[in-house]
Amino acid sequence: MSLIDNQHHIPKGGWIAAAISALGAAVFFLWQPVMEYFITGTYDDNIVVQMEAESMKTDAGAEPKLMVIRVRAANKGNVPVKLTSEGRGDLTLEIHRIDKSEVGKWVDPTTYPVVAKKIILQADSGDLTVPPNSYWSTEVSIPLPNGTYWLQGRLNRKSGDQISEATFFEHGKISNSIRQ
């Protein structure tokens, strides 16, 4: 038997060793992404509604002052999120005026009347995708008399989940950063 005839012959033990090495390399390099996907769920979307408000003068000393509200839908997850196709119809902003409250009693802002309601983002407005670790933002404004208000932003999702953020705001106080 010549040396040339043995060159094409690979023992079965070599294939087994190669397969075990490839499997070991796959486990070593893919362990973290697989565990993050199945165990910790970090590949899930994580959308958060954020709001901030401020009062602004429209004219010198004019009443009512303009309430400016910034609404953000922040994606803190690792996958892109489609806001409009996931929504059931809206990203809505509601404003409730807090008139009277009793001392020592908890304030339930949902019992106060809605002063203004605005659909900020409609589901049929086309696809709006928020990339991972990014946000979509918009500003809305409305002239309102001075007072205390409760602002609530609510994102309705196709799954029936609601993501909301709410805050109290004292309208009429002009901050030093925006005085002219």
Side-chain angles (χ1 to χ4, degrees):
M1 188 175 217
S2 71
L3 188 60
I4 297 175
D5 292 334
N6 287 333
Q7 285 181 351
H8 296 293
H9 182 275
I10 298 176
K12 291 182 183 178
W15 286 108
I16 293 172
I20 290 174
S21 295
L23 181 63
V27 167
F28 179 76
F29 288 111
L30 297 177
W31 182 260
Q32 183 179 0
V34 168
M35 288 300 106
E36 286 180 354
Y37 182 75
F38 288 109
I39 305 296
T40 63
T42 56
Y43 285 101
D44 292 337
D45 62 358
N46 184 6
I47 197 83
V48 177
V49 176
Q50 301 171 332
M51 292 185 317
E52 61 183 42
E54 64 182 310
S55 296
M56 300 179 97
K57 293 182 194 177
T58 53
D59 293 328
E63 280 291 326
K65 292 182 178 72
L66 193 64
M67 182 187 291
V68 179
I69 306 163
R70 288 173 198 83
V71 180
R72 248 186 228 151
N75 181 2
K76 299 192 181 246
N78 290 335
V79 294
V81 174
K82 290 185 179 180
L83 290 179
T84 51
S85 65
E86 287 290 317
R88 184 172 47 196
D90 55 26
L91 171 58
T92 307
L93 175 66
E94 283 186 359
I95 301 173
H96 297 254
R97 183 179 173 103
I98 308 299
D99 288 326
K100 297 179 183 177
S101 56
E102 293 182 37
V103 176
K105 299 281 185 172
W106 290 102
V107 175
D108 182 7
T110 59
T111 61
Y112 292 93
V114 175
V115 174
K117 183 174 182 176
K118 180 166 180 60
I119 296 176
I120 296 175
L121 180 65
Q122 293 183 348
D124 58 0
S125 63
D127 281 342
L128 177 63
T129 302
V130 181
N133 297 314
S134 182
Y135 64 88
W136 172 84
S137 177
T138 189
E139 267 187 1
V140 294
S141 60
I142 184 169
L144 290 172
N146 293 346
T148 303
Y149 293 90
W150 184 66
L151 314 172
Q152 182 183 31
R154 184 180 307 125
L155 175 66
N156 293 315
R157 299 194 62 177
K158 187 176 183 178
S159 64
D161 295 337
Q162 286 186 347
I163 301 167
S164 64
E165 170 76 11
T167 186
F168 287 94
F169 178 67
E170 186 179 349
H171 181 52
K173 278 179 101 173
I174 305 293
S175 69
N176 291 333
S177 63
I178 58 173
R179 287 185 196 221
Q180 296 182 8

